[in-house]
Amino acid sequence: KNVLTPLNMKLFCFAPATEKVLMGYTSKLETQKVTISYSGPSSLYASGTDIIAYYKTVCKNQDYWKKYFTMSYDLAEDTYEKGWTYGFGFFFTEDDFGKFRAHTGKEYGFYNYIRWYEKTNTFICLLSNKNDDFIEKLNEDIATLIKTQLKQN
């Protein structure tokens, strides 16, 4: 109520998963029914519509949300992967295009990836109900394509 509603996220649900949650598949196309034992730390499931609503809401009022983004960067802790930190549900790093935040979800029939370059307001969101490495490769291909296009402009 106090976090998701102000972000205009209306289609989310918490585990145990309801029938509204999309069925997931393994890389061999075996079904993976989502249960409470499969949920992430918060047990929150958000739709693509919710993720886009979050992005649009934050972009419309960047001054208001900037304090939270700054706090998430400042309080992020080092991860096992060199050059990456983690805090407030996001991983932080940078590449040749600049600093970005990312969020992933890969398990039990799903593979999702969000990358957000705040400086250029470039937002990549890939959601798949198939758990295979296709999304990871697709994400890198899309990021490369977008960076190439933005450098040309």
Side-chain angles (χ1 to χ4, degrees):
K1 179 179 169 183
N2 295 323
V3 176
L4 300 174
T5 301
L7 291 167
N8 289 317
M9 297 175 73
K10 300 173 183 166
L11 301 173
F12 64 88
C13 68
F14 291 91
T18 66
E19 294 301 317
K20 292 188 237 177
V21 175
L22 187 66
M23 181 70 70
Y25 297 90
T26 67
S27 60
K28 297 177 183 175
L29 294 180
E30 299 163 334
T31 58
Q32 294 280 296
K33 180 129 174 112
V34 177
T35 68
I36 194 152
S37 64
Y38 292 170
S39 64
S42 67
S43 303
L44 175 67
Y45 296 88
S47 68
T49 302
D50 278 338
I51 293 169
I52 297 303
Y54 160 79
Y55 169 71
K56 286 180 176 180
T57 301
V58 171
C59 288
K60 284 180 186 173
N61 193 353
Q62 290 182 10
D63 291 337
Y64 175 81
W65 294 102
K66 185 175 182 168
K67 63 184 172 187
Y68 298 108
F69 285 152
T70 300
M71 192 182 331
S72 64
Y73 280 117
D74 292 345
L75 297 175
E77 298 178 353
D78 289 339
T79 66
Y80 60 89
E81 200 168 326
K82 186 179 180 188
W84 288 81
T85 58
Y86 179 82
F88 288 66
F90 284 103
F91 291 93
F92 303 97
T93 194
E94 61 183 292
D95 61 16
D96 61 327
F97 197 58
K99 292 182 179 181
F100 67 89
R101 65 180 56 234
H103 180 79
T104 61
K106 178 184 177 183
E107 63 181 309
Y108 307 105
F110 297 90
Y111 197 142
N112 308 306
Y113 189 86
I114 296 171
R115 182 184 291 194
W116 188 351
Y117 293 93
E118 290 172 38
K119 187 174 180 180
T120 60
N121 207 16
T122 303
F123 186 76
I124 301 168
C125 177
L126 303 171
L127 307 173
S128 175
N129 65 327
K130 184 178 176 199
N131 184 357
D132 64 18
D133 292 334
F134 171 75
I135 290 294
E136 185 173 3
K137 174 75 171 108
L138 180 61
N139 167 62
E140 291 306 320
D141 291 347
I142 289 173
T144 299
L145 178 65
I146 289 171
K147 289 187 284 187
T148 300
Q149 288 297 315
L150 289 173
K151 284 179 183 177
Q152 290 176 358
N153 295 334

